[in-house]
Amino acid sequence: MAGEEIDAQTTLRRTERAVHGDLPEETVLLDVDAGVAVRLNSSGAWIWDQLDQPRLVAELARGLAQRFEIDETRALGDVVAFAREMSRRHLLTAI
């Protein structure tokens, strides 16, 4: 997915590289191939949870805006930034 543009119409899915666990105050992803742990903030953890099945970025942004009571434009930016970072780490991919 490197170099591929992510926008509202992109469908995302988790890759097989990541396993996740919920700790009392945070969600942590483990990239089993790289042996790297990634801590997620509350919005990142919410997005990750929603990706138990493939979803459109726009759908995730609408849900994030409602869940955290933020503007949908900001939510879209947050989802795109999260997706880009997680795809850079090979933990999410576009389908």
Side-chain angles (χ1 to χ4, degrees), residues 20-73:
H20 73 279
D22 295 318
L23 302 174
E25 299 296 321
E26 64 188 354
T27 297
V28 177
L29 303 180
L30 177 62
D31 179 339
V32 293
D33 290 349
V36 174
V38 179
R39 293 172 54 188
L40 301 180
N41 64 18
S42 58
S43 61
W46 184 89
I47 294 167
W48 186 261
D49 285 344
Q50 300 308 300
L51 288 167
D52 59 341
Q53 61 185 352
R55 298 207 190 271
L56 272 175
V57 168
E59 176 186 355
L60 292 167
R62 279 191 299 276
L64 188 69
Q66 291 175 352
R67 171 70 173 86
F68 291 93
E69 299 178 349
I70 60 173
D71 179 82
E72 198 165 320
T73 301

